[in-house]
Amino acid sequence: MTKQLISIPVLSILILMVMVHSASAQEGWWMKEPIRWVQTNLRQTDANLDAAHLVGQLAEMRANVVLMGMGGIAAYYPTAVEFHYPSPNLPAGKDMFGDVLREAHARKIRVVGRFDFSKTPRAVFDAHPEWFFRQTGGQPVIYNGLYSTCINGGYYRGQAMKILSEALDKYAVDGLFFNMFGNQSRDYSGRQVGLCHCDSCQRKYRQLYNKDIPETPDDDYRKFMFTSSREVAAAIGDLIRQKRPQAGYFNYIQEYTDGIMSESNTAVARPLPLWPYAASDHVNRARNSEPGKMAIDLNMQFVDFWWRFATVPRQEIALRSWQNLAHGGALTFEVNGTLDLQDRQALETAKPIFRWAAANEQYYAGQNSAARVLLLGAPAAGGRTFGEEAYRGLFRLLSEEHLPFAVADNMDWVSGAKKREFDLVIAADWAPAGLKQYVENGGKVLLASAHEPEFEVAKVVRTQSDVKGYIRVRDHAAFPSLKETDLLMLNGPFTEVSADGHSPDSPAALTLIPPSLIGPPELVHVDMKDTNTSAIVTRQLGKGTVTWIPWNLGSLYYLQSLPAHAGLFRDVADRLNPRRQVRTNAHPLVEITIMRQGGRTLLHLINLSGQSQTGYFPPVPMKDIHVEVAGDFKAAATVREPGNLTVKTVGEYTGFTVPQLLDYELVVLK
Ligand SMILES: [Zn+2]
């Protein structure tokens, strides 16, 4: 009986996951056209805006999609649906959304309507208190007079569908977008509100898990919220496809949608180091995890919620823009209110980039990653903690090493319709069981984590959670990049594996040195002891090879940027994958991506040299970047600084020199 009770929720989640995976996106305009997307998060006071003026501004910067407020918390059109209220600033008889839609379509600008069903005015709460989020003590969550709804309540499940039906019947929108989807446990001011304890949630949670909702989210609760939000996401997707089959469905989630939204943003309380690859990370991960969907990573102009009108550095806006384009995503720009801004620096930075992308739009539709290395990121379904630092460290190492790579957060690439070939797969922190068969079939895999993989690479003796020691380099021939160091810093977890003869690194090429005395200087490391504990394992599995570095190389590099760790990564990666896709003398701060577009190959180069700590400055111009790309190409041309490059065949590579890199360059190879 007990067993049955447990198996029901597990089964229902599995069924949902299968459904989620089989739900395929439409091949709509968002996949076929170059996208230059401006999002205006309108305030209710903008409901009387001049449609012709706004659309004129969009056309002038050559945006071709505008995402703007439509309904939810405030409607920007006259609405007849109960519990849906036009903005108090919408003049009687005026249909602002309709006016913008007409003006925009006349100028070939697509319109995506934005809805936020996460909050309502008090009148809805008074009429239907059972639709709303309840804290542990039963009190509602109120923010600036607005009441938080619950994803499992009747507002999301019923009323929102009525509101959307009216909107979709009335307006030929090109898509819909949903903000704050699902129950947020924190408000805009950062106040924790906990988990929803409304009757619907309590009943449903008890049915599924046979227990009460916890005080803090655990794995079961995370799965519960995941399935709850996906049920609503599926219903909304069905409604959009039924009413407006040409319209796209955009959301921050991957399931049921046509476009995967994310934000490259800043927040003053966010821990450093700053992540200058945010847009690359989001777009790369979205496009390669769900290749049939568009990645729309919003380039957020503001510093943090308290300063929505203060813009981030101009070059941060520029860098994110180039990263969007270089990874095959939409070019984006986001503002609060209208485009009549009090701080115009970000907008004035975005404008020329939008215009340039419009003038060269033939290159910015239908791009797909041609990278031959895969970085496995966090599993999409949630419910498992994942080391973001480890992931980011490896992300940076790959970029700085100019190893073009795709990021996937699932295993769809292994087989089936989404199968894709890679020369090397790198697991950051999480090594799923599915990798075993991949290796056995001939794959090359690098694991860099103290977490034991979900398949046996070596017998695990134990994991020590915090080792402040060293790694001894025993075999310098195996690590040509480490010829000037015998020791690598180790700080963090270390997993000891038994030397069972699987490793060809014999004696172990790298070994553990446990912590020793650190002071006073007279005593520093006088007791240092070497061990035979291996700090790297390489094993043949079937036809393939797996190398496991059983400590957190990625996190260490993310936080400390030590060249010794980079050298180790380089040597191990090159041993597993001796034939790099790109060979170049480019500076490590040149980000290089390689994309396929129809019959041609596009090599993007982004100059990150203006980025330092939280500062973004104009990048330092670079000259004569020599690049060799695996493959036989007859012609290479640069687009940003237009020119034809001399190509030369070098073995299995095609070589050329980019004479100058200012902020960004695109090389078209045929
Ligand atoms: Zn609830």
Side-chain angles (χ1 to χ4, degrees):
M1 188 64 194
T2 315
K3 199 177 172 198
Q4 207 174 8
L5 279 172
I6 294 167
S7 69
I8 289 165
V10 171
L11 186 67
S12 67
I13 288 161
L14 286 177
I15 290 168
L16 185 88
M17 304 253 188
V18 170
M19 284 163 58
V20 162
H21 269 270
S22 62
S24 61
Q26 323 168 57
E27 268 280 295
W29 56 266
W30 49 91
M31 294 305 289
K32 296 175 195 150
E33 298 171 10
I35 299 180
R36 301 181 296 279
W37 176 298
V38 170
Q39 172 166 349
T40 55
N41 273 347
L42 296 179
R43 297 171 296 160
Q44 62 182 25
T45 50
D46 297 319
N48 63 352
L49 64 74
D50 178 345
H53 175 63
L54 173 67
V55 173
Q57 289 172 307
L58 292 165
E60 193 250 336
M61 71 185 284
R62 300 204 62 187
N64 60 5
V65 181
V66 61
L67 188 163
M68 60 173 281
M70 191 171 182
I73 294 172
Y76 294 89
Y77 57 91
T79 173
V81 180
E82 201 181 8
F83 306 123
H84 193 217
Y85 308 98
S87 157
N89 302 83
L90 185 71
K94 185 176 163 105
D95 179 358
M96 187 274 270
F97 188 84
D99 292 346
V100 173
L101 188 73
R102 193 184 58 250
E103 294 279 346
H105 279 177
R107 303 188 76 159
K108 300 220 172 349
I109 296 170
R110 295 189 180 276
V111 179
V112 175
R114 176 185 181 277
F115 279 86
D116 190 333
F117 291 121
S118 69
K119 295 169 190 68
T120 78
R122 176 173 181 149
V124 189
F125 178 77
D126 288 343
H128 284 284
E130 75 281 8
W131 288 354
F132 287 80
F133 190 114
R134 298 305 180 113
Q135 292 173 264
T136 315
Q139 63 277 45
V141 175
I142 309 164
Y143 193 81
N144 290 339
L146 296 169
Y147 286 65
S148 289
T149 56
C150 171
I151 193 82
N152 285 315
Y155 185 73
Y156 259 111
R157 304 272 169 158
Q159 197 60 27
M161 303 302 160
K162 292 181 193 163
I163 294 167
L164 290 175
S165 289
E166 181 200 48
L168 287 162
D169 284 339
K170 223 169 144 175
Y171 300 102
V173 287
D174 298 286
L176 291 181
F177 161 73
F178 299 86
N179 188 48
M180 289 258 175
F181 204 74
N183 292 354
Q184 310 290 319
S185 57
R186 234 163 32 134
D187 68 18
Y188 282 105
S189 300
R191 181 177 68 110
Q192 295 288 340
V193 298
L195 312 182
C196 181
H197 286 69
C198 78
D199 288 348
S200 305
C201 281
Q202 293 205 44
R203 197 168 45 241
K204 199 172 159 188
Y205 195 76
R206 178 154 281 285
Q207 241 167 31
L208 288 169
Y209 295 99
N210 197 33
K211 59 183 179 184
D212 289 332
I213 290 169
E215 279 316 299
T216 51
D218 56 14
D219 282 0
D220 284 342
Y221 188 80
R222 276 189 282 269
K223 279 176 204 154
F224 174 64
M225 269 298 118
F226 180 87
T227 50
S228 297
S229 59
R230 269 54 178 185
E231 284 161 11
V232 176
I236 290 176
D238 289 345
L239 186 70
I240 294 172
R241 274 149 210 158
Q242 176 207 327
K243 299 252 182 206
R244 294 264 169 212
Q246 309 305 315
Y249 175 20
F250 304 98
N251 201 329
Y252 290 112
I253 62 175
Q254 290 183 199
E255 300 78 13
Y256 305 108
T257 53
D258 299 310
I260 300 167
M261 312 280 298
S262 52
E263 293 182 5
S264 283
N265 57 24
T266 51
V268 293
R270 191 169 296 167
L272 295 172
L274 186 140
W275 183 230
Y277 294 96
S280 294
D281 182 356
H282 296 150
V283 176
N284 186 335
R285 194 181 331 186
R287 286 298 326 274
N288 291 299
S289 298
E290 295 285 346
K293 302 187 181 193
M294 185 38 63
I296 299 132
D297 182 59
L298 298 171
N299 190 344
M300 308 302 276
Q301 140 279 339
F302 64 88
V303 175
D304 202 342
F305 290 147
W306 291 95
W307 308 276
R308 296 244 201 188
F309 288 172
T311 74
V312 299
R314 296 182 74 126
Q315 298 301 331
E316 188 164 16
I317 294 290
L319 199 53
R320 292 172 184 164
S321 302
W322 300 126
Q323 290 180 342
N324 280 334
L325 292 173
H327 288 274
L331 179 63
T332 67
F333 182 65
E334 189 275 356
V335 295
N336 287 280
T338 68
L339 290 173
D340 296 317
L341 297 161
Q342 297 180 67
D343 186 340
R344 293 166 293 283
Q345 301 172 80
L347 177 62
E348 292 306 322
T349 303
K351 276 183 187 175
I353 298 174
F354 268 65
R355 291 190 196 115
W356 188 85
N360 296 282
E361 65 179 14
Q362 56 165 312
Y363 301 111
Y364 298 109
Q367 290 190 85
N368 287 299
S369 168
R372 301 288 306 176
V373 173
L374 179 74
L375 176 62
L376 268 182
R384 188 192 158 115
T385 49
F386 182 81
E388 186 177 74
E389 290 175 353
Y391 165 74
R392 287 184 174 179
L394 290 161
F395 191 107
R396 247 185 68 207
L397 282 165
L398 286 163
S399 184
E400 292 168 6
E401 282 295 320
H402 306 302
L403 288 162
F405 64 103
V407 177
D409 58 18
N410 58 49
M411 294 291 287
D412 292 354
W413 52 274
V414 171
S415 61
K418 293 178 185 168
K419 187 174 177 1
R420 191 168 155 193
E421 302 283 338
F422 291 102
D423 298 330
L424 174 63
V425 173
I426 299 174
D429 206 40
W430 169 70
L435 277 180
K436 180 171 188 244
Q437 203 183 356
Y438 175 74
V439 178
E440 285 171 348
N441 289 336
K444 303 284 179 66
V445 169
L446 170 59
L447 316 175
S449 171
H451 283 152
E452 189 179 350
E454 291 176 9
F455 59 100
E456 189 179 298
V457 176
K459 216 166 237 48
V460 169
V461 178
R462 61 175 173 154
T463 296
Q464 300 177 65
S465 61
D466 183 20
V467 184
K468 289 179 168 51
Y470 294 94
I471 303 295
R472 167 77 67 196
V473 181
R474 297 255 190 142
D475 179 1
H476 279 90
F479 305 108
S481 298
L482 301 179
K483 59 176 183 287
E484 284 165 13
T485 182
D486 302 335
L487 297 175
L488 276 72
M489 172 190 174
L490 172 65
N491 182 23
F494 182 95
T495 294
E496 199 177 312
V497 296
S498 72
D500 55 359
H502 284 308
S503 171
D505 304 303
S506 184
L510 298 177
T511 49
L512 172 70
I513 300 175
S516 50
L517 298 177
I518 58 166
E522 288 81 354
L523 298 179
V524 165
H525 293 335
V526 293
D527 60 337
M528 184 186 264
K529 279 194 180 62
D530 275 298
T531 68
N532 287 322
T533 304
S534 183
I536 188 168
V537 179
T538 295
R539 185 178 172 189
Q540 307 301 315
L541 275 182
K543 288 183 250 169
T545 310
V546 54
T547 293
W548 182 20
I549 297 172
W551 43 280
N552 218 332
L553 176 73
S555 296
L556 282 167
Y557 191 71
Y558 178 63
L559 296 170
Q560 312 302 335
S561 303
L562 297 188
H565 292 135
L568 174 62
F569 172 79
R570 179 184 313 127
D571 293 341
V572 173
D574 282 346
R575 186 150 35 138
L576 285 166
N577 175 34
R579 190 174 172 270
R580 285 182 172 220
Q581 187 175 17
V582 168
R583 303 193 299 212
T584 178
N585 64 356
H587 189 277
L589 294 180
V590 177
E591 184 180 355
I592 296 178
T593 70
I594 185 157
M595 309 292 286
R596 198 155 289 128
Q597 189 207 36
R600 60 191 174 197
T601 297
L602 304 179
L603 190 86
H604 302 257
L605 297 96
I606 305 171
N607 189 340
L608 277 87
S609 66
Q611 203 280 325
S612 173
Q613 309 272 9
T614 55
Y616 284 82
F617 307 98
V620 182
M622 296 183 185
K623 289 206 182 301
D624 298 330
I625 299 176
H626 186 68
V627 183
E628 292 171 7
V629 180
D632 185 14
F633 300 100
K634 303 289 173 233
T638 47
V639 179
R640 188 135 170 87
E641 296 268 315
N644 288 314
L645 310 180
T646 307
V647 298
K648 197 179 156 195
T649 305
V650 191
E652 295 173 306
Y653 291 79
T654 302
F656 51 88
T657 300
V658 177
Q660 176 163 258
L661 174 64
L662 298 175
D663 49 0
Y664 164 79
E665 189 53 272
L666 172 63
V667 182
V668 181
L669 296 163
K670 283 186 216 164

